[in-house]
Amino acid sequence: MKQFTKLADVPDREHLIERAFECKHSPHAWRTLGNGRILGMVFFNPSLRTRVSTHRAASLLGMDVVAMTVGADVWTLETRDGTIMDAAAAEHIREAAAVMGRYVDVLGIRAFARLHDRLEDYAETVLERFAELSGVPIVSLESATRHPLQSLADIMTIEQFKRYERPRVVLTWAPHPKALPQAVPNSFAEWTLAMGYDVVIAHPPGYELDERFTNGAAITTDQNEALDGADFVYAKNWSSYRDYGKILSQDMRWQITPEKMALTREGYFMHCLPIRRNMIASDAVLDSPRSIVVEQAANRVPAAQAVLRTMLESL
Ligand code: AN0
Ligand code: CP
């Protein structure tokens, strides 16, 4: 596997999931595979889970890791060509990415959607530039349009907890005070549909996701209807794709509460985290045994380990 930025980069999805469970059950079985190799991780945005779980995954494989926070412990980067660099950015992505490519063997990049220009975000300019300029394999740590390490961990979690062969998986929009990217719901739709699950997406009018990700899902603006018989409730806020980056609703009736969970088929509650309590979901949901968010976050380690393991083998 030469890069891991989207599902289409994965030559064999089933095999990768199988490997992720192998890593979950035998985390120490590949201790020397990455000896002498360095993983670089570049963060344009904050992170708890991705930063630490990917570091742990690399360490378990014997790799060394260097994490860089843009604008904090490495220079602020200019990503546009042809600009006169008289503002905040001290370094251009052209030099920075090329230099990183000489220091590390695999490069992880977190660069969220900026939510100003849909075409620019959906062209994945920052990720593409790093891939092209660094010359080393790229792992997405959440890009403008996708979060594949999250999705792989989400699939592991569903496979681990499912009671039916083809579970009903409901991705529901929920309220949040800030405009958030579509990356997590896009990826979640991409991976769950590929798995053949019964995927239902619920959101208020105007929150339709890019159809390239949601083709094949049942889409509704009636959350209660969607939750009826759900095995997994995956809550997430996102900003509008159509009216790009805008908050169109903060309707608290979309919050996941015990009453909403009661509509499900004893469904489990999932969220990628970080979650704002009593916005996306109430305390009672997050503190109930139906919530599997911590188990879901724990699966980020074997998910990242399986991806790095597969990449190390093709270095
Ligand atoms: C980010 C998002 O919605 O994409 C990261 C989620 C993993 N969330 C926030 O910025 C709160
Ligand atoms: N779920 C997730 O990616 O969390 P972080 O933003 O903390 O990495």
Side-chain angles (χ1 to χ4, degrees):
M1 193 159 62
K2 293 277 179 259
Q3 62 170 15
F4 184 73
T5 66
K6 53 185 179 303
L7 180 57
D9 292 335
V10 180
D12 186 339
R13 187 194 70 242
E14 287 301 333
H15 188 54
L16 183 65
I17 296 165
E18 211 173 284
R19 284 180 154 223
F21 279 109
E22 284 171 10
C23 291
K24 187 176 171 79
H25 298 125
S26 313
H28 301 288
W30 299 273
R31 294 202 74 89
T32 57
L33 183 67
N35 281 176
R37 300 291 191 180
I38 299 184
L39 169 69
M41 296 197 286
V42 178
F43 289 92
F44 284 84
N45 318 93
S47 170
L48 190 169
R49 280 142 291 270
T50 305
R51 188 174 176 128
V52 183
S53 65
T54 310
H55 194 136
R56 179 171 174 83
S59 298
L60 285 167
L61 295 166
M63 300 180 85
D64 285 317
V65 182
V66 57
M68 296 161 271
T69 305
V70 175
D73 51 44
V74 298
W75 304 105
T76 301
L77 295 182
E78 176 59 62
T79 57
R80 281 158 229 250
D81 281 330
T83 50
I84 297 170
M85 289 174 56
D86 60 356
E91 179 156 29
H92 200 279
I93 191 173
R94 283 184 173 267
E95 284 75 39
V99 167
M100 285 177 198
R102 303 294 180 97
Y103 296 160
V104 306
D105 301 285
V106 177
L107 196 53
I109 307 290
R110 166 163 286 202
F112 287 1
R114 292 176 172 138
L115 298 177
H116 299 304
D117 179 338
R118 183 166 95 176
L119 277 181
E120 189 183 296
D121 283 346
Y122 275 68
E124 293 285 12
T125 23
V126 175
L127 207 64
E128 292 294 332
R129 298 307 299 282
F130 271 104
E132 161 203 338
L133 297 162
S134 72
V136 296
I138 299 289
V139 177
S140 167
L141 305 176
E142 186 175 338
S143 71
T145 67
R146 292 175 173 90
H147 193 1
L149 283 174
Q150 181 66 52
S151 304
L152 179 54
D154 295 342
I155 297 299
M156 290 180 74
T157 311
I158 293 172
E159 290 297 303
Q160 190 184 330
F161 283 88
K162 75 178 187 185
R163 289 158 304 195
Y164 301 93
E165 189 49 37
R166 184 168 183 261
R168 181 174 169 93
V169 176
V170 178
L171 166 63
T172 177
W173 180 94
H176 191 276
K178 288 186 160 180
L180 296 184
Q182 297 108 29
V184 170
N186 283 346
S187 257
F188 186 75
E190 184 166 75
W191 286 69
T192 52
L193 285 163
M195 290 298 289
Y197 301 149
D198 177 11
V199 180
V200 183
I201 304 176
H203 55 70
Y207 279 99
E208 293 74 15
L209 293 162
D210 182 344
E211 284 172 10
R212 285 172 293 182
F213 295 96
T214 60
N215 252 327
I219 300 172
T220 174
T221 54
D222 184 338
Q223 192 189 46
N224 289 347
E225 176 196 292
L227 293 175
D228 183 18
D231 296 306
F232 295 91
V233 179
Y234 195 101
K236 182 71 185 86
N237 175 269
W238 62 88
S239 61
S240 176
Y241 173 72
R242 280 198 193 163
D243 196 357
Y244 195 65
K246 296 286 185 312
I247 296 175
L248 307 179
S249 167
Q250 291 190 320
D251 189 343
M252 294 299 280
R253 288 172 302 180
W254 281 75
Q255 180 183 103
I256 302 299
T257 58
E259 294 70 37
K260 295 282 175 70
M261 292 302 293
L263 300 172
T264 69
R265 178 155 75 161
E266 290 183 74
Y268 290 105
F269 177 80
M270 296 177 71
H271 189 279
C272 61
L273 307 183
I275 189 165
R276 289 191 183 230
R277 281 175 171 250
N278 304 310
M279 288 293 307
I280 301 279
S282 66
D283 285 336
V285 170
L286 280 162
D287 297 331
S288 79
R290 308 316 300 166
S291 172
I292 53 173
V293 296
V294 174
E295 197 57 42
Q296 188 184 347
N299 281 333
R300 293 292 306 272
V301 177
Q305 196 181 353
V307 167
L308 291 173
R309 195 182 130 198
T310 307
M311 288 180 106
L312 284 168
E313 286 171 357
S314 54
L315 280 184

